[in-house]
Amino acid sequence: MRILVVEDEPLLADAVAEWLRGDAHAVDVVNDGGAALERIGVHGYDVVVLDRDLPVVHGDDVCRAVTECGSAARVLMLTAAAEIDDRVAGLSLGADDYLPKPFAFPELAARVVALGRRSRPALPPVLERAGIRLDPHRREVHRDGRYVPLSRKEFAVLAELLRADGAAVSAEHLLEKAWDEYADPFTGAVRIAILKLRRKLGDPPVVVTEPGVGYRIP
């Protein structure tokens, strides 16, 4: 998934981002509400992890803007205030979930995944096609029963191809979902990831190139 972490404590923001990247998500980080609104206006995020007490633009206003602009992004609001009234106020602004600080990283990651499922059409927990079996929770891939070790990016690319259910997926979409905002679209990162995927998945080749369109798994 593509995730935006909005947190004004840089060390905490970076720690959250690194934990989520460990689950093969593409994560961008900003430290104030104004920067968050700029990123949300440019990128199609699946989930926004949003601190409520932000400088420049308050987290409440960021949450309200996400809701009012019709974004498909789900909002997980973070706050040091754990009172019920505070949680109710955050949810009433349009937040999809609420997590008080301090929190455990595994719980935050689980909540992010749950919100990500809600931002997409319902899919089986394990993705299977053309002899490939991808388990998002165990982070395992098998082809015809053979375990296939993949890097985080390769895993994320393969997951997007399987989610497409046979339709072609553009390189732009793969770059959007599997890499963060610092990825250079002219580096050929997607093409290289596809080449590595094909090699690791083995014969017969399963990832097809649709010239001018993208890639698909028939």
Side-chain angles (χ1 to χ4, degrees), residues 121-162:
L123 289 170
V126 174
L127 303 174
E128 296 186 76
R129 189 176 188 83
I132 299 171
R133 187 177 190 274
L134 183 148
D135 188 330
H137 302 293
R138 295 186 177 182
R139 293 262 302 117
E140 292 182 350
V141 173
H142 292 80
R143 183 177 186 189
D144 297 328
R146 174 180 61 87
Y147 175 69
V148 181
L150 298 180
S151 70
R152 295 175 186 175
K153 296 302 182 190
E154 292 159 4
F155 187 93
V157 168
L158 180 60
E160 289 300 318
L161 293 174
L162 291 172

Side-chain angles (χ1 to χ4, degrees), residues 52 63-64 67 85-95:
R52 191 174 184 189
C63 184
R64 189 179 294 109
T67 302
D85 288 346
D86 294 301
R87 279 182 267 176
V88 171
L91 294 170
S92 68
L93 293 168

Side-chain angles (χ1 to χ4, degrees), residues 17-200:
E18 283 307 304
W19 188 276
L20 294 173
R21 287 174 184 139
D23 288 336
H25 301 302
V27 185
D28 299 333
V29 177
V30 294
N31 302 121
D32 66 74
L37 291 177
E38 291 178 3
R39 297 295 199 287
I40 292 166
V42 174
H43 301 294
Y45 292 106
D46 297 293
V47 178
V48 177
V49 179
L50 177 67
D51 183 34
R52 191 174 184 189
D53 189 16
L54 291 172
V56 183
V57 177
H58 195 274
D60 288 357
D61 296 319
V62 174
C63 184
R64 189 179 294 109
V66 171
T67 302
E68 292 177 351
C69 76
S71 171
R74 302 292 182 174
V75 177
L76 171 59
M77 187 170 279
L78 306 177
T79 181
E83 297 298 325
I84 292 177
D85 288 346
D86 294 301
R87 279 182 267 176
V88 171
L91 294 170
S92 68
L93 293 168
D96 298 278
D97 198 0
Y98 195 101
L99 186 61
K101 299 177 180 178
F103 52 81
F105 286 171
E107 180 182 4
L108 181 142
R111 288 174 181 251
V112 165
V113 169
L115 290 177
R117 286 198 298 264
R118 290 167 56 186
S119 72
R120 300 170 181 259
L123 289 170
V126 174
L127 303 174
E128 296 186 76
R129 189 176 188 83
I132 299 171
R133 187 177 190 274
L134 183 148
D135 188 330
H137 302 293
R138 295 186 177 182
R139 293 262 302 117
E140 292 182 350
V141 173
H142 292 80
R143 183 177 186 189
D144 297 328
R146 174 180 61 87
Y147 175 69
V148 181
L150 298 180
S151 70
R152 295 175 186 175
K153 296 302 182 190
E154 292 159 4
F155 187 93
V157 168
L158 180 60
E160 289 300 318
L161 293 174
L162 291 172
R163 287 189 180 106
D165 198 25
V169 181
S170 69
E172 292 77 13
H173 177 85
L174 294 174
L175 194 67
E176 173 78 13
K177 293 300 182 183
W179 280 264
D180 60 27
E181 63 182 329
Y182 299 106
D184 185 346
F186 301 106
T187 61
V190 173
R191 181 179 57 82
I192 293 170
I194 292 291
L195 288 173
K196 291 181 177 179
L197 260 182
R198 285 174 171 153
R199 185 179 72 249
K200 291 182 178 182

